[in-house]
Amino acid sequence: MPVGLWIALVGGAFLAGAAFVGVLVVRRGAELIVAIGGAAGLALSAWAFSRINDVYPRVDAILYAFVLGLAALGGGYALASALLDKLATDVRPYRGRLADRPRPERIAVALFTCTEPESYSPSVTAREIASLTDEGLLEAGIGVMPFLYTAQKARYRAAGGRSPAYRQLRQVAEQLETLFSDAGRPLHAEAASCAGEGSLPDAVGQLVDRGFGTIVIAPYAVSDSLSMDSALRMVDAMRLDTSGVTVTLAEPLWGSDEVATMVANRALAATSDVQTTGVVLVAHGQPDLRELRNPRFDEHETAFVSRIRMLLVEQGIPTEHVKIGWSEWRDPDVTAAVRHLAALGCSRILVVPAVYSVESIGTVLDLPMAVRQARVDDWVSVIVLPAWRDDPIAISALRDRVERALSPAERASQ
């Protein structure tokens, strides 16, 4: 019996420590279940501690039991935290059946951009943390690691529990489908992301399973990020050409004068006096190591934002009143850009997510927070404009690129 008490003491405390990590990491719907398990472990450990006090009524035995229980609690926390990297399972190519006889005349578009999952995902968060750790951009010990998951989960809760990105991308896909249908060229458009539910490999595989023999992957983005390139390589690994499926890639939108003009016009529509208006054009940015591996991403974003800046200056906004603010990794960030424009005397500052095709937690939560951190004077009005969303001009530009990608694809299938 005494041995069982010590086992119960250690086992219950260990379970409680591991459950604490679980509550910090799991999805919101599973928190209560994990918390109940942790409470049960803590109750078992407390009961064993009280029984040990009865069996061994000595100060040294009580001290040993307390230290052992505390060590087991920390051990459970440490082990569970150390195992969190196992959640970062690799995104694998689609493993479905793949249709044996795809029909080339059936055309589909996989509308593609990198968005966060619609709801909080521990596995996607683990992959992001692992990627940052591998690149030397994040150093977090096992004591801190679970709180990184909690921070991401808190961001979702602050944004209403769900990211609007994937829903808006589906809306764009529906309108793109309608645009082609109205022109007498019916096709199917499917939304796809880089990872998680609705990833590009899964979306393309499911389209093939449904008999589509011609698939256009159309980036709804200014440029291809490394995450997008990784998803595209997984599609290449599926070797769909051996199944008679033609897959082509449409151009990203960085060279679209129409989209650049649309973004500039949105800013101008929110301007009352061009001489006292400042504009922060927000671009993504990427770490130095990723910039070395994928320089065209920054080149494309810079070229696109510079075109918007030129259009705004041509409409009378002073050159020094139009700044690029990077959302992360590069300077100046959005907060610094807003402060700078306020110091120049701008009474109205427009924060424009110039390269964001759909809203994300970054646009609905991080950009307003960056503006608040600027702490500008009360007489300065700062307005955060929306992303492109389903703007007809952006969808029209997307359609043009799909058309150009379809032409060689259709010739190849004939």
Side-chain angles (χ1 to χ4, degrees), residues 66-81:
F66 177 78
V67 172
L68 191 60
L70 195 62
L73 186 71
Y77 179 95
L79 180 61
S81 180

Side-chain angles (χ1 to χ4, degrees), residues 48-72:
F49 182 82
S50 66
R51 290 291 297 135
I52 288 173
N53 186 29
D54 294 337
V55 175
Y56 303 100
R58 303 193 314 268
V59 174
D60 59 337
I62 297 173
L63 182 61
Y64 291 150
F66 177 78
V67 172
L68 191 60
L70 195 62

